[in-house]
Every structure is written in structure tokens, then in C-alpha cells.
Amino acid sequence: MGLDEQVGVQISASEETEIKKKLQSAVVADKLHAMRKIVAHMSRGKDMGMFYADVVLNVICKALEVKKLIYFYLIHYAEQKPDEAILSINNFNKDLSDKNQFIRALALRVMSSIRVPIITQIVVMAIKQCARDMSPFVKKAAALAIPKAYKLDHELKEELTTIIEELLQENNTMVLGAAVFAFNEICPNNFELIHPVYRKLCRFLVDCDEWGQSVIIKMLTRYARTQFLSPFTDEAFRTKKFYSDDEDSDFNVTSEDEDEEKKDDLANPMVSEIDPDHRFLLRSTLPLLKTNNNSVVLAVASLYYHVAPVEEHKLFVNGLLRNVLHSREYQYVSLANIATIAKEYPILFKDKLSFFFVFSSDPLFIKKLKLEILTLLASEKNIHTILAEFKSYVNFPQKSFVAATIQAMCRVASNNEDVREKTLQGLLKLVGSPSENVVAQAVIAIRHLLQQSDATSHEKIIRCLATLINAVTIPEARASIIWMIGEYYDIIKDIAADALRILIKDFTSSNTTVKLQILSIATKIYMKDSETIEKMFQYLLTLGRFDEDLDIRDRVRLIRAILYQENVVVLREKAERIFNPEKPQPNFDSGYHSRSRFAISTLSHLVNHQVDRYEALPEFPKVQPDNADKRRVAVGEKDVNIKDDESVTTGGDRIPNEDDFYVDVTDEDTDGSYTEGSFYSDEGSFYSEDGEGSYYSDDSFYSDEEEEDTKNGNKKGDESDGSFYSDEEEDESPPPGPAKETKHDDLFDFGAVDATPQEATKDEPKKESSTIDEFF
């Protein structure tokens, strides 16, 4: 039986009895075996709540392995069984003073998971105690427990805000991410707490774990939108006309000179004159575009898109494109954000078309997103390449994708007259496709393109479509053909009346949309040639008068009243404007246009509607708040004005103290259970004990051995204190891209990244290492 079949299935009675017996045993090995079985069944989705009373009785067990499993179990079921959990509150409170930091943190997690308002004050006291703990792991647990306590009692906001302020003063990157998370949940707009630690957060950002980086960047994005002036109103930017303010269409064609000017502006972005703290934030987050974590890359891209000057938007493009090379889930999220950006600034991705070419192995939702982006990027220079791609997609076996491709071809051709004629001929060939959906989409696309061109030069196309009235059964496509017969009656007078006769024969069995179009075409022809179709027209009105659909009956009454009643002379004089008005141009606006009302890299943006707890980005202030003095330089940090040849990263510039992340914070008596770098949080294990899968492994750049060598003056190779990425990372070849003609070697080229000390001293001769005799 598979895992999906086991979810929700109860264990057998014999196994339940065996587990209970072992939980009640005095032997530690039996308790451990029972708890392992319980946790294993929980991981398969089975309900293990029947053992809650037996597990709670074992909280007093001294064995560390058993106690960890018990706490994990209690954390899972504390919300479901709060009354039983209260019985062991004294044991949890006692474990807050345990020698082992994991036990202290787990005890706090269990206490904060009990959703009983009566113990709120006890939980707050526990949070205060853990917030002053020597272990950063326990402090992080305290920060994560603050939102849980706040949900129990909102009157505790001021008291919890004070604790958050204390945690934000920490220099440990493990604590900072959790503290900012608590800040976002409790007081997201109280930026008075952020002013003193703003520069510290920017400087320590590269050292935080990925989850902390995402949380901090999102908070700093909101902070920058309230504390700095808008970078989009720069006078130099307006002079350069990077993007014209009168661009109302998705596919504006500019002259070659203007296009080349925009290209040069993006290739060599000009540094705008913005606040030094604003610039410091942008420079501090730029190296994070090289991380392997997609969430961090999206957060940095969102920061640059909403906060950075437009001429610097190109810096995050390569980072986003690397996400497109990952799994389909990452692809969809990245492409959805790229579609919104491309709608606003298509020139950013103009030279990256091959990343959006469709592969037959792509899922349908990825294919449609790529089609959307390709239509947004279409311009005079690349339109032939894009249409050639679309032509190959028409041969795909997936009919729904072929239909979407036809719509994309129509959108591209509608904005470029040079390719409109060729596109019409290609669409006419698709009308003979065996697939009804393909034929329907081709007919609708032809109708839209004919509305934008001179119909008199396309008489053959209109006549060809008129002969397909009986062959096409899709209501929308059939309605489009009928509309074209009535709209272009002057061109095909000889076959219009005969086409109406055929349509009236099938009137009663037609779709409501088709019936309305038949009434419309009959009225148009009657007003121009009443003698020819008088009897057919009266017969059609009789059929419509007794139709079961209310809309059809109303339309017939309207037609009779205007054309035949004597007391509506004024309306009869305006019958031409009523039944055959001027037609507006078809709307080819992008489906992703409405998503721009949400901030990119948010769930609301992804699902295209506002979800619970979504908070829109604030508008930039018209006058910059005078908070520069509050953003003081913390102890051990350099001034914010970084020189051009200096790295933004921290390296060994910090002065370690007793709470620093780079100092061994372990308890003396942990029974060997704590390994330095081990980090268990609500989100899962980030720093694994054996270093596998962790972001900073044992041989990482910021290892204890290397720091000690740095302090002693012995640097390894040419590595520098301020460099975040080693030479091996910089020489690392980028991941393979789509099998097209585009080179992906520039994926890791971020343009404005400052030269690292390695690059500056690359040509200098290396120092000779010590001789063997000196070594021994």
C-alpha cells in the first residue's frame, strides 16, 4: 500500500497495545522505540492522538533522544489537545532551565503551541526568559514564539514589541531573521525599531540563512518605500527617456536610434543620485542574486523592481532567468513574475528570447506562460523569429496549446502591419485543420485581424470563411463567421442572402450566441435590401418570438418595435446606428496586465487576486523623512559610504562578542547532542549536523578554521576577507539552458557588482609557501 493510501488510516489494535505497553515501560530503550514508531506513523499522515496521555506522562524522562521525540509529538498535538497539555505546563517550565539548549527551545515551542488564553502570561514570561538566553538557538525560538503569543492576546502588543526590540539588537544572524519575522507579524509599520539596526541588517544580510534573507529583504523593501524618495522621478532618467510615458500599447515600435539608445542605457546602467542608505541597501542585496535559493532571488528582484532606479533593473534579469532553468514549480513562479516585468519593461528581456522558447516536454501551464512572454517581447527586430517559433508550435499534438499559439500569433500580428498579411494566410491554412478547437481559434483570429485592416483587399478570405458555416460547430467561431458576413455585406452581396437562408434552417437548434448573431445579420441585410429577404426576415422574427431563451425574445421585440411600429419614428431614423454601429478595435491587452496591481514575488500576484493578509507596498514619500541620524553605525561596523573597490559583504570585519554567530555558543553539559552549526527550526533543518545539504558546510567560506587562520594572518590562497564568493564559485560554469542558439554564459554577469579583491590582485605573483623544514 502506497503512502497516499495510508494517509488517515488507523493502526491495528495489536500495534496500539504494543506501543502503549512500551511507553509505560521503565526501560528507556522501549520508550525510544515506541516514540520512533509514533513519529514514523505521524509522518505517514496517521492520527496518533490516542497516545497523547501516555506520551505526556513521559515528559519527565531524562533521556535526551526520547525527550526530543516527545516534544516533537507534543508540538504537533498541543493545539488539538490544549487541556491535556496544560497538565504538563510545570514540566515545560522546568525544562526552560535545562542545560541542553535544544530542550529549552523545544519546551518553549510546546508552551507557545498551547492555544489556551489562561496561560498567556506564563508563555510571555517564558519568551522573556529565552530572549535573554545565551544560546542563539533558544533566542530564535523565542522570536518565533512571539507571534503565537500575540494571537492569543492582542493586548500584549507593547510588551512583545519591547522583546522584539531587544532581539533586533543581537548580532547573531540566526536570531536576526526570526526577530524580523516577529516584527512583520506584530508591528510591521513601526519602523522606529528598524532605524537603529538598518545598516546592521544590510551588512549582515549575506550571512543569514535563506529563510532569514527572504524575510529581511521583504521588510527592507517596505522600509525603503517609506523612508526614501522615489528613484523613478529622477531628472536624468526623464531626460534620457528610458521608457516613454506615452507607451499605452504592449508592442510599441520605436526607431532604431531610440532602440539602440535604450540598449546602451541598460548595458551600461547609470548610477542615479539617491540617498546613501538607499544605495547601501541595493549594493548589499546584489550579491544574493547568485544564491541557489529561488525565494531569495525573487525577493531581491522584487526589491530592485519596486525600489531601484529603472536603469538598474537589468541587474536582476540574469538571476531570474537562472530560476527558469529549474523545476517546473520554480519555472512557473519565475515566469509569472517575468511576465509582469516584461509587460512594463520589455526591453529588459529582448535579448533573452531563447529562455522562453517552448519545449515539447514543458507542461501546458509553462507553455502558455512562455507564449505570453514572447508576445510581450515582440518588436520590429525579433518579430520574424517569434512568428517562426509560433509556426513550429502549431504542429504540436496538444490542441489546447495550438489554440493558445494561434491567439498569440494574432496578438503579435495585430501590432505589426508588415507581418499581418502573412499571418492571415497562415491562419487561413489552419481553417482546414481536423481539430474543431484549432479551426475556431483560427477563425476568431482572422476576424480580429480583418477588423484592423482594409477588408476590401481580403475578399477571398471572407468568401472562404462564409462557406464554412455548416462545417464549423464551435459557437464562438460560428458567431464570428456570421458577424463577418453581416459586417462585410457590401463585399459579398451575392452570397449573403443564401448564407442567411442556411442559418435560418438551423436557428432553433443553434446556440444562444449564434442566434443573436443570426438576428443581427438578418437585420443588417434587411435594412440594406429589404425586398430580397422580406419573407425570410418575417419567418426568423416569428421563430425568435417563441424561442425559449428570454434574450432572444427581447431582441425580437426590440427589432419589431424599431422597424415596424409607427410611434417610434425617432428610433427608426437612428436604426443604422443602433444595429450597425462603429466597431471598436479588438482589445489585445495582456492577461497579466491586471497582476501589476500586486507586488511581484507575492502569492496575490501569482494567483491574481488578493489573498488574506496581503499588504500592498506603501507609496514613496514626497518629502524624505529625516531619519538618517537614527540609522547609526553599529559597533564594529564601517561607515555606510563604501568605496567603489570595497566589497559589500562582511567577511571578518565584525568584532565578535559572546552572542556572535561565529563564536561557539554551546552548553558545557549537552551529552554530545549539540554539534556546532546544527540548527533546527519550525521551517526544518537548515544547518545539518554532518554538513550535507547545508548552505554553510564544514568547508564553507566562513568556517571556524579559516577565521582563525585569518586572525593569525595566514590567508588561504588569494581569498580576501570581504569576498563572499570563492574563486571556485566564480569560475563555475552556469547550468545548461534551452537547446537553442543562445549562450548562457552571461547568467552570472551582474554588471554593477564591484570588483572583488581577487580580481584586483589577479595579476600579482603569489607568495611562495613555507619550506618543508619550516613547516615541521
Side-chain angles (χ1 to χ4, degrees):
M1 184 163 49
L3 178 60
D4 294 338
E5 298 176 0
Q6 295 178 2
V7 174
V9 179
Q10 297 291 338
I11 62 175
S12 62
S14 59
E15 187 176 5
E16 180 179 348
T17 304
E18 181 186 355
I19 293 176
K20 285 187 176 182
K21 183 178 179 181
K22 289 186 176 182
L23 286 174
Q24 297 169 4
S25 173
V27 182
V28 175
D30 291 341
K31 295 179 184 290
L32 180 60
H33 184 264
M35 288 305 305
R36 284 177 175 172
K37 270 196 170 184
I38 292 174
V39 174
H41 284 305
M42 287 169 55
S43 66
R44 295 186 178 93
K46 294 183 179 180
D47 184 15
M48 295 286 107
M50 74 283 293
F51 300 111
Y52 193 85
D54 298 289
V55 172
V56 169
L57 293 175
N58 288 281
V59 172
I60 59 176
C61 182
K62 299 294 184 182
L64 182 62
E65 295 279 345
V66 177
K67 191 159 244 182
K68 282 184 179 180
L69 294 175
I70 290 174
Y71 272 123
F72 282 128
Y73 176 90
L74 294 177
I75 290 171
H76 184 77
Y77 286 103
E79 294 186 15
Q80 302 178 18
K81 301 179 181 292
D83 296 333
E84 291 87 342
I86 293 178
L87 300 177
S88 300
I89 196 72
N90 290 332
N91 291 322
F92 303 149
N93 209 5
K94 181 180 178 182
D95 285 340
L96 292 176
S97 302
D98 193 274
K99 292 182 179 180
N100 190 291
Q101 58 178 351
F102 294 115
I103 299 301
R104 300 198 298 273
L106 288 173
L108 179 60
R109 287 179 62 184
V110 175
M111 292 180 64
S112 61
S113 299
I114 302 174
R115 302 289 192 238
V116 179
I118 197 173
I119 66 167
T120 304
Q121 290 299 329
I122 300 177
V123 174
V124 173
M125 290 175 62
I127 293 174
K128 289 182 179 179
Q129 178 181 340
C130 293
R132 297 181 179 90
D133 197 281
M134 294 295 295
S135 170
F137 184 80
V138 179
K139 290 180 179 179
K140 177 174 181 178
L144 295 176
I146 291 176
K148 299 178 183 179
Y150 179 70
K151 290 178 182 179
L152 292 177
D153 188 358
H154 289 280
E155 295 180 359
L156 299 171
K157 183 174 181 179
E158 293 185 5
E159 192 173 357
L160 295 175
T161 302
T162 304
I163 302 175
I164 294 174
E165 185 176 10
E166 294 177 3
L167 293 173
L168 287 173
Q169 302 301 323
E170 294 290 328
N171 289 334
N172 190 290
T173 54
M174 185 187 298
V175 180
L176 285 176
V180 173
F181 171 77
F183 170 84
N184 291 336
E185 295 293 320
I186 308 301
C187 47
N189 298 317
N190 187 8
F191 292 120
E192 292 297 325
L193 302 181
I194 303 300
H195 294 322
V197 298
Y198 169 78
R199 296 177 183 177
K200 180 179 71 175
L201 290 175
C202 292
R203 194 174 291 277
F204 284 12
L205 194 56
V206 293
D207 296 330
C208 295
D209 57 84
E210 286 98 332
W211 174 77
Q213 288 172 346
S214 299
V215 171
I216 295 173
I217 291 173
K218 291 176 182 177
M219 184 275 296
L220 291 177
T221 302
R222 290 188 294 106
Y223 180 88
R225 297 272 298 194
T226 58
Q227 303 301 317
F228 305 126
L229 296 178
S230 173
F232 309 126
T233 57
D234 187 75
E235 192 62 29
F237 163 71
R238 290 186 175 275
T239 304
K240 290 167 58 176
K241 294 184 180 179
F242 192 84
Y243 291 107
S244 173
D245 291 338
D246 58 356
E247 288 182 349
D248 297 328
S249 174
D250 295 343
F251 308 96
N252 286 298
V253 180
T254 58
S255 64
E256 293 186 3
D257 294 338
E258 291 178 352
D259 196 51
E260 290 298 327
E261 182 182 352
K262 291 180 180 179
K263 184 175 180 181
D264 294 340
D265 291 340
L266 282 175
N268 303 296
M270 180 183 64
V271 179
S272 299
E273 293 294 333
I274 58 178
D275 188 275
D277 285 322
H278 190 174
R279 172 61 59 194
F280 186 47
L281 171 62
L282 297 178
R283 297 187 64 186
S284 299
T285 54
L286 189 61
L288 298 179
L289 288 169
K290 290 187 177 182
T291 182
N292 291 327
N293 188 279
N294 296 275
S295 175
V296 176
V297 173
L298 284 174
V300 176
S302 177
L303 172 72
Y304 267 77
Y305 181 73
H306 294 293
V307 174
V310 179
E311 59 267 22
E312 297 180 28
H313 284 182
K314 176 133 187 177
L315 300 178
F316 66 78
V317 169
N318 291 332
L320 276 180
L321 292 177
R322 277 194 295 116
N323 288 358
V324 177
L325 306 178
H326 292 174
S327 63
R328 60 176 62 183
E329 292 80 9
Y330 292 135
Q331 280 188 54
Y332 180 76
V333 176
S334 299
L335 289 172
N337 287 278
I338 289 174
T340 299
I341 299 172
K343 173 70 173 66
E344 191 72 20
Y345 308 118
I347 197 172
L348 291 174
F349 303 95
K350 187 181 65 175
D351 299 329
K352 312 290 185 179
L353 287 182
S354 64
F355 284 93
F356 312 116
F357 288 164
V358 176
F359 297 100
S360 58
S361 59
D362 289 337
L364 181 60
F365 58 90
I366 295 294
K367 290 178 179 178
K368 289 185 176 180
L369 257 179
K370 288 184 175 180
L371 281 178
E372 179 73 27
I373 295 173
L374 286 174
T375 56
L376 292 173
L377 300 181
S379 63
E380 186 177 0
K381 290 188 176 181
N382 59 24
I383 192 168
H384 294 286
T385 303
I386 292 176
L387 287 177
E389 277 292 314
F390 288 170
K391 185 178 179 180
S392 65
Y393 300 159
V394 173
N395 299 322
F396 276 40
Q398 204 168 11
K399 299 306 177 184
S400 57
F401 172 65
V402 175
T405 302
I406 294 172
Q407 294 176 2
M409 292 173 66
C410 178
R411 287 183 57 192
V412 171
S414 65
N415 291 276
N416 195 304
E417 295 182 1
D418 297 338
V419 298
R420 192 174 299 168
E421 188 66 31
K422 273 188 178 180
T423 306
L424 276 172
Q425 297 298 330
L427 291 173
L428 192 60
K429 294 179 182 179
L430 294 177
V431 173
S433 172
S435 173
E436 292 185 354
N437 289 328
V438 174
V439 173
Q441 293 297 332
V443 170
I444 295 172
I446 290 174
R447 170 195 166 184
H448 289 160
L449 293 179
L450 286 177
Q451 285 184 259
Q452 293 186 316
S453 58
D454 184 11
T456 56
S457 61
H458 299 100
E459 180 179 349
K460 292 183 178 179
I461 296 178
I462 298 173
R463 288 182 177 273
C464 178
L465 293 177
T467 60
L468 299 175
I469 292 178
N470 289 331
V472 177
T473 59
I474 303 297
E476 291 184 3
R478 201 172 186 207
S480 295
I481 295 176
I482 298 170
W483 180 88
M484 283 187 283
I485 294 174
E487 185 69 16
Y488 306 117
Y489 169 77
D490 297 333
I491 301 175
I492 54 172
K493 289 182 179 180
D494 53 330
I495 64 172
D498 194 46
L500 179 61
R501 177 184 60 81
I502 297 173
L503 292 170
I504 292 176
K505 288 173 60 178
D506 300 330
F507 181 81
T508 55
S509 60
S510 299
N511 182 273
T512 301
T513 304
V514 177
K515 288 180 180 179
L516 291 173
Q517 284 297 333
I518 293 174
L519 289 172
S520 297
I521 182 181
T523 306
K524 292 176 183 178
I525 297 176
Y526 179 79
M527 289 189 299
K528 295 181 180 180
D529 190 3
S530 58
E531 297 179 358
T532 305
I533 65 165
E534 176 68 32
K535 292 184 179 181
M536 284 194 296
F537 187 60
Q538 292 297 334
Y539 176 69
L540 178 62
L541 293 180
T542 304
L543 291 176
R545 180 182 179 185
F546 298 100
D547 194 88
E548 61 183 7
D549 192 282
L550 183 61
D551 292 336
I552 303 300
R553 297 199 300 269
D554 288 345
R555 180 66 62 88
V556 170
R557 280 194 289 267
L558 175 66
I559 294 173
R560 282 184 180 276
I562 294 178
L563 297 181
Y564 295 108
Q565 291 184 11
E566 297 180 357
N567 56 349
V568 288
V569 179
V570 177
L571 290 177
R572 188 177 298 115
E573 293 176 353
K574 299 180 179 180
E576 183 69 24
R577 293 177 58 186
I578 295 174
F579 294 112
N580 193 19
E582 293 184 5
K583 309 299 185 300
Q585 292 293 329
N587 182 18
F588 294 102
D589 197 7
S590 169
Y592 284 80
H593 178 70
S594 60
R595 299 193 183 211
S596 59
R597 68 185 188 274
F598 301 114
I600 64 172
S601 78
T602 60
L603 180 59
S604 296
H605 173 269
L606 190 65
V607 299
N608 199 20
H609 67 83
Q610 184 169 336
V611 299
D612 293 339
R613 303 181 65 188
Y614 170 78
E615 187 176 352
L617 289 176
E619 296 294 334
F620 284 101
K622 295 182 179 180
V623 179
Q624 182 169 350
D626 187 15
N627 294 319
D629 295 338
K630 298 179 182 179
R631 292 189 287 268
R632 62 178 182 270
V633 180
V635 177
E637 294 186 24
K638 297 179 181 179
D639 192 8
V640 69
N641 297 318
I642 301 177
K643 299 178 181 178
D644 293 338
D645 58 348
E646 185 178 356
S647 174
V648 180
T649 56
T650 55
D653 295 338
R654 258 183 262 98
I655 299 177
N657 55 39
E658 60 180 9
D659 293 330
D660 197 87
F661 181 65
Y662 297 97
V663 178
D664 298 345
V665 185
T666 59
D667 296 314
E668 295 180 0
D669 301 326
T670 58
D671 298 330
S673 62
Y674 175 64
T675 304
E676 183 185 358
S678 178
F679 168 35
Y680 300 90
S681 67
D682 293 334
E683 292 73 31
S685 176
F686 179 72
Y687 296 94
S688 58
E689 296 183 1
D690 55 358
E692 295 181 1
S694 65
Y695 190 73
Y696 297 113
S697 58
D698 293 336
D699 57 347
S700 65
F701 185 80
Y702 294 108
S703 61
D704 293 338
E705 293 81 5
E706 186 173 348
E707 281 201 351
E708 193 163 341
D709 290 342
T710 305
K711 292 176 183 178
N712 296 332
N714 300 324
K715 295 184 179 180
K716 298 180 181 180
D718 291 336
E719 293 178 355
S720 170
D721 295 344
S723 177
F724 181 67
Y725 297 99
S726 60
D727 295 335
E728 289 78 10
E729 272 184 302
E730 293 180 343
D731 296 336
E732 181 179 304
S733 59
K740 299 290 178 178
E741 299 179 0
T742 299
K743 298 179 181 178
H744 297 164
D745 295 338
D746 60 343
L747 281 180
F748 296 92
D749 179 18
F750 294 97
V753 179
D754 298 328
T756 60
Q758 290 96 319
E759 295 172 344
T761 60
K762 184 168 58 176
D763 298 331
E764 297 180 4
K766 296 183 178 180
K767 296 181 181 180
E768 295 293 336
S769 59
S770 302
T771 62
I772 298 178
D773 294 335
E774 292 176 349
F775 180 82
F776 288 101

